[in-house]
């Protein structure tokens, strides 16, 4: 995951987006937010859910699924595949990560039998776990822009989820011993295996974000329909 040379204008625009987003989005009271990374990766988008540049930070609908944080963090994690292929060109294929899945990653919200509050809790707590797992990425790839930006945007998203919850105090950060135990579980014998684990974390984080954004959008759509039906009656 070597850092690529960036066009100065692109780097400045992306950093400005990150700073603007951090300044304008509300945060949960007392919730710490890490400093904005001093650089951002160049962006090449190919799908509707992978844009990094944030055009605006105002969300008229008020829905969590419409927050610009989602395309911001998904755009960052989407860059991971290209970085992997550049690093391991002619060595291993991207799908080799299926053999290096991290079992300690949190599960996404299920499609049924789950309340919106429980889903928000799972997202926030899951991202807290990922911010710890991303320390392994930072250890294996010091100065990784993808790792640092993924961690930064995840922190903002945690705060936003907690603002939507009725009981945000139930989302507690991991203790020092829990963090240490989680990171010990990522220890591997060889440098290659440790790098595979780092890449697997980023890949699994991307799918965690995609799945949970869809889950929240589903709940918000259902809630909107319920309100509409009530008004008609």
């Amino acid at each position: 995951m070597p850092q690529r040379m960036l066009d100065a204008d692109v780097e400045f625009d992306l950093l400005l987006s990150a700073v603007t987003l951090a300044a304008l989005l509300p945060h949960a009271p007392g919730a710490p937010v890490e400093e904005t990374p001093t650089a951002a990766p160049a962006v090449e988008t190919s799908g509707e859910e992978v844009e990094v540049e944030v055009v605006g930070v105002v969300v008229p609908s008020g829905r969590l699924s419409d927050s610009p944080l989602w395309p911001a963090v998904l755009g960052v994690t989407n860059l991971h595949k290209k970085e992997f292929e550049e690093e391991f060109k002619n060595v291993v294929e991207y799908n080799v990560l299926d053999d290096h899945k991290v079992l300690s990653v949190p599960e996404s919200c299920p499609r049924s039998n789950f309340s919106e509050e429980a889903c928000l809790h799972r997202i926030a707590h899951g991202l807290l776990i990922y911010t710890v797992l991303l320390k392994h990425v930072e250890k294996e790839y010091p100065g990784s822009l993808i790792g640092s930006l993924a961690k930064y945007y995840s922190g903002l998203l945690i705060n936003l989820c907690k603002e939507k919850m009725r009981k945000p105090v139930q989302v507690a950060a991991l203790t020092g011993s829990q963090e240490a135990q989680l990171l010990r579980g990522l220890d591997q014998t060889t440098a290659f295996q440790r790098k595979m684990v780092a890449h697997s974390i980023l890949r699994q984080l991307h799918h965690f974000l995609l799945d949970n954004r869809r889950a929240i959008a589903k709940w918000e759509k259902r809630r909107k329909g319920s309100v509409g039906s009530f008004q008609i009656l």
Side-chain angles (χ1 to χ4, degrees):
M1 199 183 306
Q3 180 174 332
R4 290 179 290 170
M5 295 298 293
L6 304 176
D7 177 86
D9 291 336
V10 173
E11 182 175 351
F12 176 79
D13 290 343
L14 288 171
L15 179 58
L16 181 62
S17 294
V19 173
T20 303
L21 185 62
L24 296 183
L25 279 172
H27 309 303
V33 177
E34 298 184 25
E35 292 185 2
T36 306
T38 56
V43 181
E44 296 177 13
T45 61
S46 58
E48 59 179 338
E49 293 184 287
V50 295
E51 297 179 2
V52 166
E53 287 197 66
V54 180
V55 178
V57 296
V58 178
V59 187
S61 68
R63 293 192 293 267
L64 176 60
S65 60
D66 289 338
S67 168
L69 272 175
W70 293 102
V73 67
L74 285 167
V76 170
T77 54
N78 186 65
L79 291 171
H80 162 251
K81 182 177 181 180
K82 185 173 183 179
E83 294 290 333
F84 178 93
E85 292 173 343
E86 288 180 355
E87 181 180 357
F88 296 100
K89 186 177 181 180
N90 301 323
V91 179
V92 292
E93 299 291 333
Y94 186 66
N95 58 13
V96 75
L97 293 179
D98 289 335
D99 299 326
H100 298 274
K101 289 183 177 179
V102 178
L103 301 180
S104 56
V105 300
E107 295 183 0
S108 301
C109 297
R111 296 181 179 274
S112 59
N113 300 324
F114 226 57
S115 68
E116 184 177 4
E117 177 77 4
C119 188
L120 288 169
H121 184 283
R122 176 164 290 189
I123 295 172
H125 183 69
L127 287 174
L128 282 171
I129 293 175
Y130 268 111
T131 57
V132 175
L133 296 175
L134 285 169
K135 292 181 179 181
H136 176 81
V137 178
E138 294 173 335
K139 179 181 177 182
E140 293 301 313
Y141 294 93
S144 163
L145 293 176
I146 291 179
S148 60
L149 280 173
K151 188 175 180 181
Y152 172 72
Y153 283 129
S154 294
L156 293 179
L157 193 53
I158 289 169
N159 291 343
L160 197 58
C161 286
K162 290 171 73 173
E163 287 187 349
K164 299 290 184 179
M165 295 177 63
R166 294 191 300 274
K167 299 179 179 179
V169 293
Q170 293 184 352
V171 180
L174 276 66
T175 64
S177 59
Q178 288 174 325
E179 284 194 17
Q181 182 179 359
L182 192 59
L183 292 172
R184 277 198 302 270
L186 304 179
D187 287 342
Q188 297 293 328
T189 306
T190 68
F192 176 79
Q193 290 175 325
R194 290 192 296 271
K195 289 181 183 295
M196 290 298 102
V197 168
H199 283 287
S200 183
I201 290 170
L202 289 170
R203 186 191 193 197
Q204 290 175 269
L205 172 59
H206 184 73
H207 291 293
F208 178 82
L209 291 163
L210 281 175
D211 292 343
N212 285 312
R213 186 187 189 185
R214 294 189 185 107
I216 285 297
K218 177 182 177 182
W219 273 109
E220 290 173 334
K221 182 178 180 181
R222 181 182 300 177
R223 181 168 13 95
K224 180 180 178 181
S226 298
V227 172
S229 299
F230 177 79
Q231 290 174 340
I232 291 175
L233 293 173

